[in-house]
Amino acid sequence: MSSAFGSYRGDIDVRDAWSMLQSNPRAVLVDVRTRAEWTFVGIPDLQPVQHKPVLLEWQTYPAMAVNGAFVDQLASELKARGLDESVPVLFLCRSGVRSQAAAMAAVAAGFTETYNIAGGFEGPLSSGGHRGEVGGWKASGLPWIQN
């Protein structure tokens, strides 16, 4: 995939993302949703695979302006974990749109192995107009917690 931001490795299913986190201790999941979403909707629970997600807003709530410091903040977080821009970075948002933009921005900044988790945390709307029922992290039965 490519855009004005650059290219990334592609979209992967939530189960493939989980498998990558299970098999690669250097893989990092970056949840790019807002603080409000993390608090009220929940976050992936990566303790079973001995990982800790990076919680870093791509857009800041409530204005939803793109976080201009996103890539620098991500690089700093990875460095604090003893990692660099060469590790697999899996980006997650609500449905896969913001995370795709974040993955492309990371590639443009020199990250070499970025992925967008298609379907995101909540997935698309169900026929009843609800998220979290069809596709995505939660509906797939992957572990998650709510603060």
Side-chain angles (χ1 to χ4, degrees):
M1 294 289 198
S2 65
S3 79
F5 287 117
S7 299
Y8 67 102
R9 294 280 176 118
D11 295 340
I12 60 172
D13 178 81
V14 293
R15 294 212 174 271
D16 292 333
W18 181 251
S19 292
M20 188 181 298
L21 290 163
Q22 287 177 308
S23 65
N24 189 337
R26 294 174 48 83
V28 177
L29 185 143
V30 180
D31 189 329
V32 304
R33 295 175 299 145
T34 64
R35 186 171 310 281
E37 289 171 295
W38 303 325
T39 301
F40 298 112
V41 181
I43 62 171
D45 180 6
L46 304 183
Q47 290 179 16
V49 292
Q50 300 172 359
H51 286 271
K52 181 180 178 187
V54 172
L55 304 179
L56 181 59
E57 291 178 314
W58 170 249
Q59 294 175 289
T60 55
Y61 181 83
M64 299 308 283
V66 172
N67 174 2
F70 180 84
V71 173
D72 290 337
Q73 291 169 342
L74 176 57
S76 292
E77 178 63 32
L78 292 180
K79 185 176 181 181
R81 295 179 181 204
L83 303 171
D84 62 24
E85 291 85 355
S86 69
V87 300
V89 183
L90 299 89
F91 293 93
L92 175 80
C93 69
R94 180 184 67 195
S95 61
V97 175
R98 287 173 284 174
S99 52
Q100 183 182 56
M104 291 177 183
V107 166
F111 288 76
T112 59
E113 193 172 350
T114 66
Y115 301 87
N116 175 46
I117 301 175
F121 189 69
E122 295 181 82
L125 291 172
S126 68
S127 60
H130 300 282
R131 292 195 187 274
E133 296 175 355
V134 180
W137 192 277
K138 288 173 86 171
S140 295
L142 294 172
W144 62 280
I145 55 175
Q146 194 163 9
N147 294 337

